[in-house]
Amino acid sequence: MEYSLYKKDGAFPCDVTIDVDNNIYTVRDSDTTGQIFQSAPEVASWIKQNWAPDQFEKPDDYYDLVNTLESSLHEDEMEI
């Protein structure tokens, strides 16, 4: 899963990548700094702690990302 969101204060998109098959969990912020994580729940937690809907040009994009992350995490728990 890859997502791109645009912050009001940045020229570059914020990119979120969750690739379970290849064990890639990353976030790149609008200032091009990045974070690497060990799991999807860590990505979701970081996003909730560091980003807010009002930071984005389209707040609904933030909500869509969070909802998608929560849905995929819930589905992963059901498979265990």
Side-chain angles (χ1 to χ4, degrees), residues 20 40 71-80:
V20 177
S71 294
S72 68
L73 293 177
H74 183 68
E75 288 172 9
D76 289 345
E77 290 174 359
M78 299 297 274
E79 291 176 7
I80 295 176

Side-chain angles (χ1 to χ4, degrees), residues 18 25 39-45 48 66-80:
I18 297 184
Y25 307 96
S39 67
E42 288 180 16
V43 173
S45 178
K48 290 177 185 176
V66 170
N67 288 336
T68 300
L69 283 170
E70 289 177 349
S71 294
S72 68
L73 293 177
H74 183 68
E75 288 172 9
D76 289 345
E77 290 174 359
M78 299 297 274
E79 291 176 7
I80 295 176

Side-chain angles (χ1 to χ4, degrees), residues 47-77:
I47 288 171
K48 290 177 185 176
Q49 291 175 11
N50 293 280
W51 290 350
D54 61 347
Q55 294 175 306
F56 295 93
E57 291 179 10
K58 297 179 181 176
D60 286 343
D61 289 349
Y62 172 86
Y63 291 119
D64 290 343
L65 171 61
V66 170
N67 288 336
T68 300
L69 283 170
E70 289 177 349
S71 294
S72 68
L73 293 177
H74 183 68
E75 288 172 9
D76 289 345
E77 290 174 359

Side-chain angles (χ1 to χ4, degrees), residues 7-32:
K7 278 190 171 179
K8 294 176 182 176
D9 67 350
F12 299 101
C14 299
D15 293 320
V16 177
T17 302
I18 297 184
D19 184 345
V20 177
D21 295 333
N22 294 306
N23 204 30
I24 298 171
Y25 307 96
T26 62
V27 172
R28 186 185 75 185
D29 213 335
S30 60
D31 62 2
T32 69

